Amino acid sequence: MAGSSHGHTPAAWTGVTIAFIGFCVAGAFMVMAQPAGFWAGMAIVVIGGIVGWIMSAMGLGQPKDGHKDLVAAQPEPASAKG
């Protein structure tokens, strides 16, 4: 799948980064036995998903038909030309 651009968009990177920070916050507060901090971290995870979705809707994500363009752009294998 080296030819695909799955997830290489500003929307994906931003959403995943925010969610990762949320998981780190939640994990730290879970170890410290602080339920309020844990749930705050989980809220940050949800916010990351929402931000990624909104950015994708704004056109910063991968186009819906982007995969078809990638498949069409790849050359046919030499063994298929027979």
Side-chain angles (χ1 to χ4, degrees), residues 38-67:
F38 167 78
W39 289 112
M42 295 308 293
I44 294 170
V45 171
V46 171
I47 289 169
I50 293 169
V51 167
W53 178 70
I54 290 171
M55 288 179 70
S56 181
M58 292 172 52
L60 296 171
Q62 185 162 348
K64 299 229 183 274
D65 60 347
H67 182 67

Side-chain angles (χ1 to χ4, degrees), residues 2-78:
S4 74
S5 62
H6 178 72
H8 298 288
T9 64
W13 280 101
T14 304
V16 168
T17 300
I18 293 171
F20 178 73
I21 291 168
F23 277 117
C24 291
V25 168
F29 279 103
M30 185 170 59
V31 170
M32 293 187 287
Q34 300 291 325
F38 167 78
W39 289 112
M42 295 308 293
I44 294 170
V45 171
V46 171
I47 289 169
I50 293 169
V51 167
W53 178 70
I54 290 171
M55 288 179 70
S56 181
M58 292 172 52
L60 296 171
Q62 185 162 348
K64 299 229 183 274
D65 60 347
H67 182 67
K68 287 187 257 179
D69 294 339
L70 289 172
V71 171
Q74 292 178 353
E76 231 178 271

